[in-house]
Amino acid sequence: MEHRNGPVYRDYLGAARAASDQEMRKRQMVSRCGIFGVLGQDGVDEVVRQSTVMKVARRRAIHSQGEAGNFVYVVGSGRALVVRRADGDREFTVAYRGVGDILGQTPLAVGGAHRDGAIAIDQIEVLRVPMRLMADLMERTPKLAVAMMRIMGERRMEAERRIEALLSRTVESRVADFLLRAADTHGIPESRGRLIGVKFTHQEIANYVGSTRETVTLTLGDMKRRGLILFDHRRVVVQDEEALRKLA
């Protein structure tokens, strides 16, 4: 019989601890995603049991546009970029998503492949939930279906606002709106104003507002000269929110 200090027993204990840590991590991710709050304990246990934790390196795909929609993903740590590719290599930024957000949910409503892709901005950890499980839970739990429909509706309205802005507003207006939204989501109050706590490159902003990096750089430089913003190690401090709101 294997002694409690023997290598086989130690391996067993190590595997048991790893499995326990993995389950705890999955439960943390589920608890941070608001829509799962409508599930009872049995439903939560089912999500934890059938889901897997996936780590994705910086700038690597979480899921790709055109890929079979077999999973939805819950962001457990880090940030993700949702992108849509058009003709050629043109890439359009749809949205930024953070901890607790769901990715890849569109096939739940329309079936088939993913209509967009999701990329890890930083090294990211996601919970990969089988699409069949989500569909089954939505059928069994109407409150979950309503919560998911609300998310899809909000994201559809967000996309429509973006399209309207691209068609009718100037680049300056769109950049101002981007900065205000980033400040609302990631803003850290300080003596100079509100520091946007994450770094956005000029190219990332350009992809989001539908412009070029050069135009965005000129626009940000003009805003800085007018005292609306300032730069702090590649991060932006919003100094005059009222003026930015008038531009937006």
Side-chain angles (χ1 to χ4, degrees), residues 38-92:
V38 302
L39 294 176
Q41 189 61 52
D42 288 346
V44 170
D45 290 345
E46 201 167 355
V47 173
V48 170
R49 185 168 59 253
Q50 295 194 38
S51 300
T52 55
V53 176
M54 186 172 77
K55 294 184 178 181
V56 183
R58 181 177 180 270
R59 298 298 180 188
R60 301 303 296 268
I62 299 164
H63 68 80
S64 301
Q65 184 173 326
E67 177 184 312
N70 295 327
F71 300 95
V72 296
Y73 304 84
V74 177
V75 181
S77 66
R79 292 185 302 137
L81 181 68
V82 181
V83 297
R84 177 74 62 88
R85 289 192 180 277
D87 296 334
D89 293 329
R90 178 81 184 213
E91 188 174 272
F92 177 71

Side-chain angles (χ1 to χ4, degrees), residues 66-206:
E67 177 184 312
N70 295 327
F71 300 95
V72 296
Y73 304 84
V74 177
V75 181
S77 66
R79 292 185 302 137
L81 181 68
V82 181
V83 297
R84 177 74 62 88
R85 289 192 180 277
D87 296 334
D89 293 329
R90 178 81 184 213
E91 188 174 272
F92 177 71
T93 297
V94 177
Y96 290 91
R97 304 294 181 208
V99 174
D101 285 334
I102 280 190
L103 304 168
Q105 76 287 341
T106 304
L108 278 169
V110 297
H114 289 293
R115 269 55 173 181
D116 48 36
I119 299 170
I121 296 176
D122 322 296
Q123 180 170 309
I124 195 172
E125 197 174 41
V126 296
L127 185 68
R128 190 172 67 170
V129 185
M131 192 74 72
R132 286 184 181 179
L133 173 62
M134 284 296 297
D136 184 47
L137 288 171
M138 288 167 61
E139 185 175 347
R140 287 187 276 139
T141 312
K143 287 184 178 180
L144 179 63
V146 170
M148 184 60 73
M149 287 174 60
R150 184 176 295 115
I151 287 176
M152 292 183 180
E154 289 172 351
R155 292 183 178 181
R156 174 64 181 268
M157 292 175 62
E158 179 185 356
E160 290 177 354
R161 286 194 297 268
R162 294 277 309 285
I163 293 170
E164 181 182 358
L166 290 171
L167 294 174
S168 63
R169 292 160 62 183
T170 64
V171 172
E172 182 182 57
S173 173
R174 302 198 298 266
V175 171
D177 182 69
F178 174 88
L179 294 174
L180 289 168
R181 290 179 182 274
D184 287 341
T185 305
H186 306 290
I188 303 169
E190 55 161 67
S191 60
R192 299 172 296 176
R194 274 208 291 176
L195 171 69
I196 298 175
V198 297
K199 297 176 182 178
F200 293 101
T201 68
H202 291 188
Q203 186 62 60
E204 287 173 339
I205 298 174

